[in-house]
Amino acid sequence: MKKIVMISLGLSLTAFGMSYEKFKQYTLTHAKTLQKQTLTLETTQEKNAILLRSKNPSLNLEASRFNPDLTDSTFGYAVMATQSIRTGNFYDGLEDKANASTLLQQAYVTQGKAGYLKTLENLYTEYVYQSKLLALLEDEYRLSNKVTKIVEERYTNGSENKVAYLQAKTNTLALKTQMYTTKQAMNTRYYQLLAIAGMKKKVALSKTFIYPVSAQTNTGTKTNPQQQILNAKAKLLESQIRMNESSIENFEVYGGIEDEPGQSILRMGVNVALPIFNNKSEEKRLAKLQQQQLTLDNEQLDIDIYAQTMMLKSSINELSQQYYTLKTLKTEQKTLNTLLQEGYKIAQGSIFVMMSAQNKLIQTQKSLLQTQKMINTQKIELRFIQGQYND
């Protein structure tokens, strides 16, 4: 029984191919680019640890020889240790900077992953489109070949002229050429998908569009990846402002002992750089300007996202209506083509009228596929803008 189930699953996979959802999950697990992006977050955390670590103390050792009368010598020594210490406010600013740097890198990783999934879905959509287009051309080629044979038979019998026969034959050859071109495009997208997913072995993929033809779109909106980056940059700038508030970033504490003939000296003290000529006033003004720039960037991004969202939703709605209109047109054209073919078989019709109707049907079917593809690409772009790929 278990063997039968395994055989059944194998046949199912061969017949229908790996679904997009399974392919996406495999990509998220095995894609080298995504793994590399995860490592960049760990790299940032290590850099933050370096940023926050304390400096090593310094030790100064000296030996002296005292020979006042050139006959008797006495030796002395000095030991001095120095430690640099950050001020509390400046160190708190450094911690804020480390946390903000982590948030910024997380935002970059999220943006990278969202962009990767967007690219993946666009490639998959193009692959499905080329696959369906190839299937359409193959059907039309078989039909055109059948019509050509009918015309050839009538030409041989003398009831049709050579021009009609050559016209039918060239139409069939043109379809065959399109099949080769489309198959090349489909194979290109297929191997691009394998590469982006981190696959080395071939796998059958489902040839179904990711999103259905519908004017309905996702109403839920998360933070756009670019907004996440701007928010993290704002926090990074806030940490820099806090650090600039500390005119004194650090000070040195030192202590030591000196032993000389007849006396020993114990020294302790603090070395502080006085903020007389440099009180970070320029840094403070620069930070305020950068804050204003970020605020403007955020406001403009909100406007852009709103405009793009409205534009994409309107476009998806119009394309959906166009799709159903083309579908109705296709039905009518198929009926017309059937009638023209039946009439031509009994010598009651023109080959040119029939081929013209056939070419119009092919164009309508291509337009249907193109419209379905455009609906998918528009929905992918909308989902990206709405932050649906952030998880």
Side-chain angles (χ1 to χ4, degrees), residues 132-148 168 171-176 178-179 330 333-334 337 341 354-366 369:
K132 288 183 176 294
L133 181 59
L134 179 60
L136 168 64
L137 291 173
E138 287 173 345
D139 288 341
E140 293 303 327
Y141 173 75
R142 284 190 290 268
L143 177 61
S144 183
N145 202 33
K146 183 179 177 181
V147 171
T148 301
N171 277 2
T172 303
L173 289 173
L175 282 170
K176 193 172 185 178
Q178 290 180 47
M179 284 166 53
K330 173 189 168 184
Q333 286 177 331
K334 285 186 76 173
N337 266 263
Q341 288 171 23
M354 183 178 70
M355 285 191 295
S356 175
Q358 182 182 335
N359 289 333
K360 287 180 180 179
L361 174 60
I362 293 172
Q363 291 304 317
T364 299
Q365 290 174 316
K366 285 183 178 179
L369 274 178

Side-chain angles (χ1 to χ4, degrees), residues 152-380:
E152 183 181 13
E153 184 179 344
R154 294 186 61 179
Y155 168 64
T156 305
N157 294 335
S159 58
E160 191 61 88
N161 57 44
K162 190 174 182 179
V163 174
Y165 168 62
L166 290 176
Q167 183 70 47
K169 189 175 181 180
T170 53
N171 277 2
T172 303
L173 289 173
L175 282 170
K176 193 172 185 178
T177 303
Q178 290 180 47
M179 284 166 53
Y180 286 121
T181 305
T182 305
K183 191 170 185 180
Q184 290 174 16
M186 181 190 73
N187 287 336
T188 299
R189 297 296 179 267
Y190 175 75
Y191 287 109
Q192 286 177 334
L193 282 170
L194 292 188
I196 201 173
M199 284 184 173
K200 291 185 177 180
K201 293 182 180 180
K202 290 184 178 180
V203 60
L205 297 176
S206 173
K207 297 172 182 178
T208 306
F209 282 112
I210 302 171
Y211 302 108
V213 175
S214 170
Q216 185 177 3
T217 55
N218 198 324
T219 55
T221 301
K222 299 180 182 179
T223 306
N224 180 274
Q226 188 60 32
Q227 285 178 317
Q228 289 186 345
I229 291 174
L230 290 179
N231 291 339
K233 283 184 176 180
K235 289 186 178 297
L236 191 62
L237 192 55
E238 288 172 5
S239 69
Q240 189 62 48
I241 291 173
R242 183 170 184 180
M243 290 163 62
N244 291 338
E245 290 173 354
S246 300
S247 299
I248 300 175
E249 296 180 0
N250 55 62
F251 56 91
E252 291 183 345
V253 176
Y254 63 87
I257 185 171
E258 298 179 17
D259 185 51
E260 299 176 355
Q263 66 176 352
S264 294
I265 304 173
L266 180 66
R267 297 184 186 276
M268 297 181 67
V270 177
N271 185 17
V272 181
L274 298 177
I276 298 175
F277 302 108
N278 176 14
N279 61 359
K280 296 186 179 181
S281 58
E282 294 82 5
E283 286 89 338
K284 292 174 183 177
R285 289 196 297 271
L286 177 62
K288 287 183 178 179
L289 290 173
Q290 290 173 332
Q291 268 190 329
Q292 291 173 5
Q293 290 174 341
L294 274 178
T295 300
L296 291 172
D297 286 342
N298 245 322
E299 290 174 354
Q300 185 59 50
L301 183 60
D302 286 339
I303 295 170
D304 292 343
I305 289 174
Y306 175 78
Q308 289 177 22
T309 300
M310 293 297 102
M311 178 191 69
L312 288 168
K313 286 185 175 181
S314 175
S315 178
I316 291 168
N317 182 56
E318 294 296 330
L319 286 169
S320 298
Q321 293 182 35
Q322 175 180 307
Y323 177 84
Y324 291 114
T325 302
L326 284 169
K327 206 168 182 181
T328 303
L329 177 61
K330 173 189 168 184
T331 303
E332 298 297 330
Q333 286 177 331
K334 285 186 76 173
T335 303
L336 176 61
N337 266 263
T338 302
L339 292 173
L340 289 172
Q341 288 171 23
E342 290 175 353
Y344 186 76
K345 287 178 184 179
I346 58 176
Q348 291 183 355
S350 167
I351 180 64
F352 298 107
V353 173
M354 183 178 70
M355 285 191 295
S356 175
Q358 182 182 335
N359 289 333
K360 287 180 180 179
L361 174 60
I362 293 172
Q363 291 304 317
T364 299
Q365 290 174 316
K366 285 183 178 179
S367 296
L368 266 171
L369 274 178
Q370 183 70 25
T371 303
Q372 197 169 2
K373 171 191 164 184
M374 290 175 65
I375 289 172
N376 270 259
T377 55
Q378 301 279 39
K379 286 190 175 183
I380 291 168

